[in-house]
Amino acid sequence: MNQTDSKKIVIAIDGHSSCGKSTVAKQLAKQLGYLYLDSGAMYRAVTLFALRNQLAKNGTVDEQGLIDRLEKIKIEFHWNEATRQNETYLNGENVEEEIRQLPVANHVSPVATIKEVRQAMVKQQQELGKNKGIVMDGRDIGTVVFPQAELKIFMTASPEVRAQRRYDELTAKGQQVQLDEILKNVEDRDRIDSGRKESPLMRADDALILDNSYLNREEQLKWAVERAKERIENC
C-alpha cells in the first residue's frame, strides 16, 4: 500500500515515554508509503543544544537563556540510505545517537515544558504536515499539532514494562545503566509530561487507545495498519 493507492491522511500517535511510539510510527509510515517525523527527536535536539551550552544541568534548565537562543537552533531530518531511516540533525550535525542517551532523557521533559520551545517546534511540525501523507508521534500531536488528524492513536504501557524495554535497548548498545534509575526517569517524565501547563500529555477525545504492555512489535503494527486502512477507506 502506498500514497498512490489511496487518499492521504494525517496520523497522529501520542503516548507515554518509552512505549514504542517511534517504532510503530516508523513501521506504519513505511507500510503506507508515508513520511515519518519524530517530534520527540526535535525536543531532544533542543535539549542537547541546552546541555552543550550550559543551559541545562542537574535536571534544571535556564529557560530564558534557552528562549533567547531558539533562533540559533535549526533542526532537520535527513534520510540515511544505509539505515533506511530519517536521522536528526542539529545545526548541520548528525546527533541521532547522542539525543537517545540518558543525559538528554533526564532533561528533555523540563525543556519540553517551555512554552516558547513548544511553539517553535509546533510551527515546524505543522509546516511539514500541510500536504498530509504523514505519520507523526509525540505527546501532543493529536491535541495541539494536528487536532484535525484523521487517525489519532494513544499508546501506553505500564511504567515497569516501559523501563525494562528502555533498559534492554540501552544495554544492547553497550551503555552501563541501572534499571531502577530508568524506571525513576520513566515515572518522572510521566508526571512532568502530564502535569505541565503548556500542551500537557493527554489523550485526544477521538484517539484510539493502544495498550501494548503485552503486545509484540508485529502485533502492534498489524493493529495500527488495520486502523489506518479503515480511516483511509472512509475518507
Side-chain angles (χ1 to χ4, degrees):
M1 185 176 184
N2 56 50
Q3 289 182 358
T4 61
D5 294 330
S6 62
K7 296 177 181 178
K8 293 188 291 184
I9 65 173
V10 171
I11 300 174
I13 301 179
D14 292 307
H16 295 100
S17 65
S18 301
C19 66
K21 297 185 301 295
S22 296
T23 298
V24 170
K26 289 176 184 177
Q27 293 175 334
L28 181 58
K30 186 176 293 185
Q31 284 276 69
L32 300 175
Y34 278 20
L35 297 175
Y36 164 71
L37 179 64
D38 178 2
S39 70
M42 299 175 73
Y43 291 105
R44 284 173 174 269
V46 175
T47 302
L48 179 60
F49 177 91
L51 288 167
R52 287 179 170 182
N53 290 276
Q54 292 76 52
L55 299 171
K57 61 181 179 180
N58 300 324
T60 62
V61 179
D62 177 357
E63 294 190 12
Q64 191 56 53
L66 181 55
I67 292 169
D68 291 342
R69 298 196 188 187
L70 280 176
E71 291 185 357
K72 296 182 179 180
I73 300 175
K74 182 179 181 181
I75 301 170
E76 301 171 297
F77 294 92
H78 296 295
W79 181 257
N80 185 323
E81 284 292 343
T83 61
R84 303 297 297 171
Q85 66 178 13
N86 280 315
E87 294 182 340
T88 312
Y89 283 70
L90 171 61
N91 294 334
E93 176 190 354
N94 188 330
V95 294
E96 185 63 33
E97 288 297 324
E98 194 170 355
I99 63 172
R100 307 297 174 183
Q101 296 178 9
L102 202 55
V104 170
N106 285 336
H107 291 84
V108 67
S109 286
V111 167
T113 64
I114 301 171
K115 180 179 180 180
E116 289 81 359
V117 170
R118 300 201 69 81
Q119 290 175 335
M121 295 302 102
V122 167
K123 184 177 180 180
Q124 292 187 39
Q125 293 158 9
Q126 290 175 331
E127 186 66 28
L128 288 165
K130 279 185 175 179
N131 296 323
K132 299 197 174 186
I134 191 170
V135 180
M136 187 180 294
D137 71 283
R139 288 172 175 73
D140 62 354
I141 309 305
T143 55
V144 175
V145 183
F146 293 119
Q148 303 304 318
E150 289 84 354
L151 174 60
K152 302 175 187 177
I153 297 172
F154 188 87
M155 291 180 60
T156 188
S158 71
E160 291 77 14
V161 167
R162 288 184 280 136
Q164 185 65 56
R165 289 173 178 168
R166 184 66 175 154
Y167 174 84
D168 293 342
E169 177 185 346
L170 293 174
T171 54
K173 293 180 179 179
Q175 296 186 35
Q176 299 295 319
V177 293
Q178 298 296 321
L179 181 58
D180 58 351
E181 181 181 357
I182 294 176
L183 177 58
K184 182 179 184 301
N185 174 252
V186 167
E187 293 174 335
D188 286 347
R189 289 182 68 184
D190 283 354
R191 186 184 68 258
I192 294 172
D193 291 344
S194 299
R196 70 190 180 208
K197 182 178 180 181
E198 184 69 19
S199 302
L201 168 66
M202 64 175 64
R203 181 178 70 87
D205 292 338
D206 54 345
L208 305 178
I209 297 177
L210 172 56
D211 186 331
N212 65 6
S213 296
Y214 304 104
L215 299 177
N216 60 36
R217 290 185 177 183
E218 291 73 22
E219 292 168 332
Q220 296 174 58
L221 179 60
K222 181 176 183 292
W223 183 92
V225 170
E226 288 175 350
R227 301 293 85 73
K229 287 182 177 180
E230 291 170 358
R231 293 300 170 90
I232 292 170
E233 290 171 359
N234 291 326
C235 281

